[in-house]
Amino acid sequence: MIKCHLSELNLSNNRISALPSELSACSVLENVDISSNSFVSLPTCLTELPNIKTIKARKNYIADVEVEVILANNNLESIDLEENPLNKTTFEELERASRVSSVKISLTARQQEDWEDLSI
């Protein structure tokens, strides 16, 4: 079994797009920064961390997030998803969740794409 004693992990600005599932073995990890990388989805192993408090995932290519999974982690205090191209449904779900949840969810105001207003 892997022993991990890290409480903070900064992987920002590394052009990475995936994390190893073994990261979830880092049971004392509280703060993770994966900002300014190439993630297209929020790594599941982060939300599985038992003591995670802060996830910074700004400036990636994340379009979809499982909101229920984020809210299911009782220790999570904040998640930063600013400057990600979140799809409309996910953005609205996260916006709603931020009003009723104790988790601080940081979002950048979403710009409607031209193709979203096509009335056919």
Side-chain angles (χ1 to χ4, degrees), residues 37-41 57 59-64 83-86:
N37 280 299
S38 300
F39 290 94
V40 294
S41 63
K59 281 190 169 181
N60 278 285
Y61 302 97
I62 300 170
D64 193 20
E83 299 182 63
N84 278 292
L86 296 167

Side-chain angles (χ1 to χ4, degrees), residues 44-101:
T44 309
C45 62
L46 295 182
T47 55
E48 293 172 350
L49 292 166
N51 290 308
I52 191 73
K53 291 183 178 174
T54 304
I55 299 172
K56 293 180 182 174
R58 66 184 304 140
K59 281 190 169 181
N60 278 285
Y61 302 97
I62 300 170
D64 193 20
V65 175
E66 292 183 49
V67 179
E68 316 79 46
V69 174
I70 291 172
L71 300 178
N73 188 313
N74 294 330
N75 290 317
L76 188 62
E77 295 173 359
S78 71
I79 184 165
D80 184 347
L81 293 166
E82 291 182 349
E83 299 182 63
N84 278 292
L86 296 167
N87 68 48
K88 184 178 180 182
T89 305
T90 300
F91 182 84
E92 290 170 352
E93 284 180 32
L94 287 165
E95 216 174 26
R96 264 192 306 278
S98 71
R99 290 192 291 267
V100 297
S101 169

Side-chain angles (χ1 to χ4, degrees), residues 29-41:
L29 196 53
E30 294 181 351
N31 305 303
V32 177
D33 188 348
I34 59 167
S35 298
S36 300
N37 280 299
S38 300
F39 290 94
V40 294
S41 63

Side-chain angles (χ1 to χ4, degrees), residues 8-22:
E8 191 165 320
L9 182 61
N10 186 339
L11 297 170
S12 63
N13 298 297
N14 280 296
R15 298 183 184 170
I16 55 177
S17 60
L19 295 176
S21 60
E22 292 85 4

